[in-house]
Amino acid sequence: MSVSMRDLDPAFKGAGQKAVFALFSLTIYSGLEIWRIENFNPVPIPQSSYGKFFTGDSYVILKTTASKSGALRHDIHYWLGKDTSQDEAGAAAIKTVELDAALGGRAVQYREVQGHETEKFLSYFKPCIIPQEGGAASGFKHVEAEEHETRLFVPFARSSLNHDDIFILDTESKIFQFNGSNSSIQERAKALEVVQYIKDTYHDGKCEVAAIEDGKLMADSETGEFWGIFGGFAPLPRKTVSDDDKPAASHPPKLLCVEKGKAEPIETDSLVKELLETNKCYILDCGLEVFMWMGRNTPLDERKSASGVADELLSSSNRPKSQIIRVIEGFETVMFRSKFDSWPQTTNVTMSEDGRGKVAALLKRQGLDVKGLLKAEPVKEEPQPHIDCTGLLQVWRVNGQEKILFEGTDQSKFYSGDCYIFHYAYPGEDREEYLVGTWIGNNSVEEERASALSIASKMVESMKFLPSQARIYEGSEPIQFHSILQSFIVFKGGLSDGYKNYIAEKEIPDETYSEEGVALFRIQGSGPENMQAIQVEPVASSLNSYYCYILHSGPTVFMWSGSFTTSDDQELVERMLDLIKPDLQSRPQKEGAETEQFWDLLGGKSEYPSQKIVRDAENDPHLFSCNFSEVIEKDADVTEIYNFSQDDLMTEDIFVLDCHSEIFVWVGQQVDPKSRMKALTIGEKFLEHDFLLETVSRVAPIYIVMEGSEPPFFTRFFKWESAKSAMLGNSFQRKLTIVKNGGTPPLVKPKRRAPVSFGGRSSGVPDKSQRSRSMSVSPDRVRVRGRSPAFNALAANFESPKDRNLSTPPPMIRKLYPKSMSPDLAKLTSKSSAIAQLTSSFEQPRPAREKLIPRSVKVSSNGPKTNSETNGEEDSMSSRIESLTIQEDVKEGEAEDEDDEGLPVYPYESINTASTDPVTDIDVTKREAYLSPAEFKEKFGMIKKEFYKLPKWKQNKLKMAVQLF
């Protein structure tokens, strides 16, 4: 596409870049830029005027968002008021094409007509836009109200009311919401958001709110006051169907080619991508949506001409409701691609570096800033579990219609031919939380898969739907699963009767793991708290240069390290070796220096890969409302909710949150029990339809989340307020309470739940030793999860290795001064001597270790200790550590915020990555911590406490935007 300076309006210089600095701020208009067309030219309007549209004007709106990969995405809308002139509307359409060119030709463009806007556009201005009379051009004047005017937001007459809709009457001292008797609860709740907006915008938050129910006549004073404004009550007329109420007609897609300002239809039996040529523009007419596809090699003038043809098509056929959506080759929307019978499955297409470079160089020569065209560097970070990993875990193996409870270290040993159920209780913010899940082996039989899901669902139902539920397939385990189990081994074969019967019937050889046979394990994971051993075929082609492996045949054990492995990888393989073959000495093998015996066990040398196994990464989340009856009975009926928030989750409905690598099915409290039980089926149908056309895996993890019991790995996608999910009543009742409470939910402290356990274990409150997760460690090498070596060594000084319970303590010492102190406290080692011992321990050379992990944690045949015994020992140990007032492992956000206290303060110019005179004595991973509170607020648009509450990836992107990362 050829671009010259005269084609690009100066008002668009730097567009899409200013908004980047506000992308993750807490303002509602983050990433937005708006221009009004004045004398056929775009004029930027101040952010204080965002959301105010005048019926006599046309506007160009740019929305810039950043994906998790760091890449910028642009959506351009041009909004046409009902009284705007045809010339201004045409100017807005042309300027939209020019703005796209300035952004590198990658934006999706939308035509928005007043009263028929797209859901995506309206989501930028939640809860609504209220266009005002007036305009900037040709005789129109912006109307400024001198005093408050009573208005109905439709023609102010009783005849405007009906039983089907909701109406808002705004008076000087009170806002009335009239709920038609046929309106839904969800519609009434959404209308209250508009009431809140009017209250805040036009009344400074100071006025009364009244809800009027259709059919109550003069039942109360507020109802009488409402009807009095209309001159008294009278029966409402039936709703008359106007042109605006008629649904826009849709028809099968029709493809037209635009050449020389004319659209010619293309006759075809099948709509396929190959019909689109890169040097032409096309119109795809679907009735309600009219798409304009622009080939990447089309000139700018031709794109402008094609836009005019699309506008004329709608004008000539009198279709004001139809929406025009313009897409560029390579950046087609999901909706556009879904209209074709065949569209090649590709990954997210991005402009080639060569093409982006040419466009950037061209625009730079013409004096434009081209930073927005540069490829953003993806932020690389390890996924976080977002769950407390010190809870109580129970695991069962499914055998037919029964479940068999596992004990001790067997909890982490799974077989590919079996199915498993786990129940995990962990401490939440102010109550016990639960996760019940099923793990389905790749070679398990269908009957036991169904049995596992049925048993897990019954467990959740027996706990009054308090737990979240997970469905997990082998090979697609989420980070939460691995973090809960810590060490995880998958053996070939199976132990269940169903698996044994199946291979016997099919005469399939039994490959179930045997300690004496030949077995090869690939070792993977990110650390001691997240490590896995996966048994693979014992052949050379199963090796991979990026992993370590364990190969054994009877007493012979080899430990193979690929050439791209690190010391951390090699430490993991040693730890796993202590779980798989704890009594045998291994023989190390480095890639390229293997012995003949090693290759003989694998059946000889062969080619093997040298690429890391890449799993589906988490993408930007998308929220969908879901008509559950439609999903089950016939075609799925789902609607995406753009720029979603917690307020979009209605208690009467079911929603799906799609993150690509996993999905969440959120079920409201008011959903009927029959539909609630179908939540898992809804999730499976959602994966099957692949609504975002991202080739999502059919075996991606599915979480079922119940309202009021949302786990932290779900709420992290929202700016979550627990008080809202704890409210009672339907959506309308809840939001009415919030509106009358000044816009904030009332504080309701949830009751602490009684812990639940299965399989004959104590149902009492788990003490600390039960709550601690079993973690195999060596007495010579204290490995306590999440704690520093200093804290581990200090704790070890107070323990007897012989009597020590090999468990991970809770992650946080919550009380510095417990209510009851141990009587032995006076006899404890003093603080100073403890620190002296700690110091001396650092000076001693590290002892050589034979094994990192002991064979197993022995379980007494006499059963668990009584609560009094366990509590006595635990209180004694806790008191010793608490007496030193050491408090580590606090929540991440609080820890970083507190760590900042006491740090020196430096000016931004001295600590940013581009500084010419940088300060050297700072922690470069947290440059922002050295800013003064005022400068921090200036750069990030929020205080430090709010900043550290954001997810880590959002923090990093914010820091990248201001050169502090």
Side-chain angles (χ1 to χ4, degrees):
M1 178 182 70
S2 59
V3 182
S4 64
M5 188 61 186
R6 63 180 175 82
D7 295 320
L8 301 177
D9 198 290
F12 294 144
K13 184 175 181 179
Q17 298 171 39
K18 301 171 188 174
V20 173
F21 294 97
L23 281 178
F24 297 104
S25 67
L26 301 181
T27 62
I28 59 173
Y29 298 128
S30 300
L32 271 183
E33 295 172 83
I34 303 179
W35 298 263
R36 183 171 59 212
I37 302 299
E38 297 181 9
N39 297 322
F40 310 113
N41 292 312
V43 177
I45 65 174
Q47 192 174 91
S48 59
S49 296
Y50 284 10
K52 297 178 182 178
F53 294 90
F54 291 91
T55 60
D57 289 335
S58 297
Y59 297 81
V60 175
I61 299 95
L62 169 64
K63 174 68 172 179
T64 302
T65 54
S67 64
K68 287 182 71 69
S69 66
L72 298 182
R73 182 173 62 247
H74 304 291
D75 291 288
I76 309 174
H77 307 255
Y78 61 104
W79 185 88
L80 309 177
K82 65 182 179 66
D83 298 320
T84 191
S85 67
Q86 192 67 34
D87 290 339
E88 279 197 352
I94 291 173
K95 292 302 177 182
T96 299
V97 178
E98 291 182 16
L99 177 56
D100 172 54
L103 296 169
R106 293 175 288 163
V108 180
Q109 304 159 44
Y110 303 83
R111 174 181 180 263
E112 309 286 353
V113 177
Q114 180 182 341
H116 307 292
E117 296 87 352
T118 63
E119 290 297 327
K120 174 171 275 193
F121 175 80
L122 293 175
S123 73
Y124 306 151
F125 308 98
K126 287 185 176 181
C128 66
I129 60 172
I130 303 177
Q132 302 177 32
E133 294 294 327
S138 58
F140 283 96
K141 187 176 182 181
H142 294 168
V143 178
E144 302 293 342
E146 295 181 359
E147 59 181 38
H148 195 92
E149 176 188 1
T150 299
R151 49 189 176 169
L152 186 61
F153 295 105
V154 291
F156 184 39
R158 185 168 48 208
S159 59
S160 296
L161 305 177
N162 61 61
H163 299 293
D164 299 317
D165 297 321
I166 298 168
F167 300 85
I168 296 173
L169 177 65
D170 180 22
T171 70
E172 184 175 0
S173 60
K174 186 178 290 187
I175 304 173
F176 297 88
Q177 176 173 313
F178 177 83
N179 299 318
S181 56
N182 297 331
S183 62
S184 69
I185 291 173
Q186 294 93 320
E187 290 172 333
R188 299 178 186 189
K190 280 297 179 185
L192 278 173
E193 295 180 7
V194 180
V195 170
Q196 182 71 57
Y197 171 78
I198 296 172
K199 180 180 177 182
D200 294 339
T201 304
Y202 300 103
H203 298 269
D204 294 325
K206 300 173 184 176
C207 74
E208 296 182 52
V209 173
I212 309 300
E213 295 300 324
D214 181 15
K216 282 194 174 181
L217 303 181
M218 312 293 281
D220 54 53
S221 60
E222 289 182 333
T223 303
E225 183 181 355
F226 173 80
W227 287 114
I229 297 173
F230 291 93
F233 173 79
L236 297 182
R238 288 189 177 184
K239 181 179 180 179
T240 57
V241 180
S242 64
D243 290 339
D244 284 346
D245 296 318
K246 294 177 182 177
S250 60
H251 53 69
K254 299 177 182 177
L255 186 63
L256 302 95
C257 179
V258 180
E259 286 186 292
K260 298 179 180 180
K262 293 185 179 180
E264 298 294 337
I266 296 178
E267 300 297 332
T268 179
D269 295 329
S270 179
L271 204 56
V272 295
K273 182 182 182 297
E274 287 70 25
L275 293 171
L276 306 176
E277 299 181 27
T278 189
N279 59 346
K280 293 182 180 179
C281 292
Y282 295 84
I283 292 175
L284 184 66
D285 186 357
C286 305
L288 178 60
E289 306 105 352
V290 176
F291 296 93
M292 198 186 88
W293 185 90
M294 297 173 282
R296 192 176 295 176
N297 295 328
T298 52
L300 184 60
D301 289 339
E302 191 169 323
R303 295 184 183 186
K304 292 180 180 180
S305 174
S307 297
V309 172
D311 288 336
E312 289 177 15
L313 176 66
L314 296 190
S315 300
S316 61
S317 55
N318 192 23
R319 291 155 55 186
K321 288 186 179 181
S322 295
Q323 300 158 350
I324 297 177
I325 303 171
R326 300 196 289 248
V327 297
I328 310 295
E329 180 184 4
F331 300 93
E332 295 87 356
T333 63
V334 172
M335 184 64 70
F336 177 81
R337 287 183 280 145
S338 68
K339 304 296 183 183
F340 284 73
D341 301 319
S342 171
W343 194 277
Q345 291 288 352
T346 58
T347 57
N348 291 334
V349 182
T350 57
M351 183 182 291
S352 68
E353 289 306 306
D354 180 56
R356 183 184 287 109
K358 289 179 180 178
V359 173
L362 179 60
L363 297 180
K364 190 172 182 180
R365 286 197 300 271
Q366 295 167 351
L368 293 179
D369 193 345
V370 295
K371 289 182 180 177
L373 293 178
L374 300 179
K375 184 177 181 181
E377 230 6 84
V379 179
K380 294 182 180 179
E381 58 178 278
E382 287 292 331
Q384 300 299 316
H386 298 284
I387 189 173
D388 190 305
C389 298
T390 64
L392 175 64
L393 176 68
Q394 293 174 291
V395 180
W396 298 264
R397 177 170 58 81
V398 175
N399 192 46
Q401 300 298 316
E402 300 177 345
K403 62 182 193 295
I404 302 171
L405 180 65
F406 278 172
E407 297 287 351
T409 55
D410 288 341
Q411 286 186 337
S412 62
K413 296 179 179 178
F414 288 27
Y415 285 80
S416 184
D418 295 335
C419 295
Y420 299 80
I421 299 171
F422 64 90
H423 173 275
Y424 182 60
Y426 60 96
E429 287 186 5
D430 48 17
R431 60 191 174 191
E432 197 82 347
E433 302 288 353
Y434 308 101
L435 176 63
V436 172
T438 53
W439 184 90
I440 300 172
N442 288 338
N443 298 317
S444 57
V445 297
E446 194 60 43
E447 293 79 5
E448 289 190 340
R449 295 184 180 191
S451 177
L453 293 171
S454 175
I455 294 172
S457 296
K458 289 177 181 177
M459 288 172 64
V460 172
E461 186 177 5
S462 69
M463 297 175 68
K464 300 181 180 179
F465 297 97
L466 291 178
S468 299
Q469 187 176 350
R471 186 219 68 178
I472 300 168
Y473 275 91
E474 177 187 348
S476 299
E477 298 88 355
I479 183 65
Q480 291 82 15
F481 179 81
H482 287 316
S483 298
I484 290 170
L485 268 74
Q486 299 181 3
S487 58
F488 179 55
I489 305 173
V490 179
F491 296 112
K492 295 174 72 68
L495 304 178
S496 68
D497 294 339
Y499 174 79
K500 296 296 185 185
N501 294 336
Y502 176 79
I503 62 173
E505 290 175 7
K506 301 294 183 179
E507 298 182 351
I508 300 173
D510 190 352
E511 296 181 335
T512 303
Y513 171 74
S514 169
E515 292 188 0
E516 301 304 318
V518 178
L520 180 66
F521 294 88
R522 183 180 69 246
I523 311 302
Q524 59 193 37
S526 59
E529 300 150 12
N530 171 15
M531 54 182 184
Q532 303 93 45
I534 312 298
Q535 187 178 359
V536 295
E537 288 294 326
V539 292
S541 59
S542 296
L543 299 175
N544 189 313
S545 300
Y546 273 91
Y547 297 92
C548 294
Y549 290 77
I550 294 172
L551 173 65
H552 75 70
S553 175
T556 304
V557 182
F558 291 99
M559 210 166 51
W560 187 84
S561 301
S563 56
F564 295 111
T565 57
T566 65
S567 58
D568 291 338
D569 297 325
Q570 290 156 16
E571 182 178 343
L572 290 186
V573 76
E574 291 182 28
R575 289 176 177 273
M576 274 300 184
L577 190 61
D578 286 339
L579 291 175
I580 296 173
K581 284 291 184 179
D583 297 325
L584 299 176
Q585 186 68 33
S586 65
R587 297 162 61 180
Q589 303 280 300
K590 289 189 176 182
E591 183 176 6
E594 299 88 349
T595 62
E596 287 298 325
Q597 185 180 6
F598 175 83
W599 291 120
D600 288 343
L601 288 177
L602 294 178
K605 293 183 180 180
S606 70
E607 295 291 326
Y608 54 83
S610 58
Q611 293 181 336
K612 206 170 183 84
I613 300 173
V614 180
R615 300 186 59 179
D616 282 344
E618 181 180 281
N619 286 357
D620 296 306
H622 295 261
L623 184 68
F624 296 85
S625 65
C626 183
N627 187 325
F628 42 84
S629 60
E630 294 290 331
V631 169
I632 305 303
E633 303 298 335
K634 49 182 180 179
D635 290 339
D637 179 17
V638 298
T639 303
E640 182 169 3
I641 299 173
Y642 300 100
N643 297 301
F644 62 83
S645 67
Q646 182 183 357
D647 290 333
D648 291 310
L649 301 175
M650 295 285 187
T651 187
E652 297 81 15
D653 294 330
I654 291 179
F655 294 83
V656 175
L657 185 69
D658 181 2
C659 308
H660 184 71
S661 59
E662 57 196 9
I663 68 169
F664 299 83
V665 181
W666 184 90
V667 183
Q669 291 178 355
Q670 302 284 328
V671 172
D672 66 273
K674 182 179 178 182
S675 299
R676 184 184 300 166
M677 296 301 293
K678 295 177 181 178
L680 180 58
T681 305
I682 291 172
E684 291 173 336
K685 289 289 184 182
F686 187 91
L687 291 177
E688 179 183 336
H689 282 78
D690 190 15
F691 291 99
L692 293 175
L693 302 181
E694 293 181 333
T695 60
V696 65
S697 172
R698 295 280 294 275
V699 296
I702 298 175
Y703 289 102
I704 301 171
V705 176
M706 298 296 171
E707 182 184 14
S709 301
E710 293 89 351
F713 50 89
F714 173 80
T715 59
R716 68 190 176 96
F717 296 105
F718 301 80
K719 186 183 176 183
W720 196 260
E721 294 183 60
S722 300
K724 287 184 178 179
S725 61
M727 293 179 70
L728 302 177
N730 60 39
S731 298
F732 173 70
Q733 293 166 339
R734 295 182 187 186
K735 292 201 174 180
L736 184 60
T737 301
I738 292 174
V739 170
K740 290 187 173 184
N741 198 47
T744 57
L747 293 176
V748 179
K749 189 171 182 179
K751 297 179 180 179
R752 179 167 286 278
R753 300 166 180 164
V756 181
S757 64
F758 296 90
R761 298 221 179 158
S762 171
S763 60
V765 178
D767 59 23
K768 289 186 178 181
S769 63
Q770 286 178 308
R771 287 276 291 276
S772 301
R773 295 298 319 290
S774 175
M775 182 177 178
S776 301
V777 293
S778 167
D780 296 330
R781 182 184 175 89
V782 181
R783 300 284 299 195
V784 180
R785 170 158 12 160
R787 297 208 163 147
S788 65
F791 187 87
N792 295 337
L794 184 60
N797 282 320
F798 293 111
E799 291 182 316
S800 167
K802 180 176 67 176
D803 301 328
R804 180 161 56 86
N805 178 19
L806 299 179
S807 302
T808 304
M812 176 179 175
I813 301 174
R814 302 182 184 274
K815 298 178 184 177
L816 295 180
Y817 303 99
K819 292 181 180 179
S820 60
M821 303 295 286
S822 169
D824 297 332
L825 186 59
K827 301 178 183 180
L828 295 177
T829 307
S830 67
K831 178 178 178 180
S832 58
S833 62
I835 295 176
Q837 292 180 34
L838 173 62
T839 307
S840 63
S841 70
F842 290 151
E843 296 170 354
Q844 297 172 3
R846 180 177 172 180
R849 52 173 187 176
E850 295 179 7
K851 291 197 289 265
L852 283 173
I853 305 177
R855 291 181 61 178
S856 63
V857 179
K858 295 184 179 179
V859 180
S860 171
S861 58
N862 297 327
K865 294 183 180 181
T866 63
N867 285 343
S868 59
E869 291 174 343
T870 309
N871 289 341
E873 294 178 5
E874 192 65 36
D875 286 346
S876 176
M877 182 59 207
S878 298
S879 300
R880 299 182 193 184
I881 301 177
E882 287 164 358
S883 67
L884 301 180
T885 64
I886 295 177
Q887 187 170 0
E888 297 198 7
D889 302 341
V890 293
K891 292 180 181 178
E892 182 178 333
E894 296 173 2
E896 295 201 44
D897 200 16
E898 291 173 4
D899 288 346
D900 292 350
E901 297 180 7
L903 289 178
V905 174
Y906 295 109
Y908 171 77
E909 292 73 17
S910 301
I911 60 172
N912 68 71
T913 55
S915 175
T916 56
D917 184 23
V919 179
T920 56
D921 58 338
I922 63 171
D923 182 352
V924 295
T925 64
K926 49 188 305 185
R927 296 174 186 269
E928 77 286 351
Y930 298 91
L931 292 174
S932 67
E935 199 164 19
F936 190 97
K937 181 77 178 293
E938 177 188 347
K939 295 297 180 185
F940 292 99
M942 66 188 80
I943 62 176
K944 290 186 179 181
K945 188 173 183 181
E946 293 171 339
F947 176 82
Y948 288 125
K949 285 181 180 179
L950 296 174
K952 201 70 175 176
W953 64 274
K954 284 191 177 182
Q955 294 180 24
N956 290 340
K957 286 183 180 177
L958 271 175
K959 292 195 289 185
M960 288 171 64
V962 293
Q963 296 182 316
L964 290 176
F965 183 78

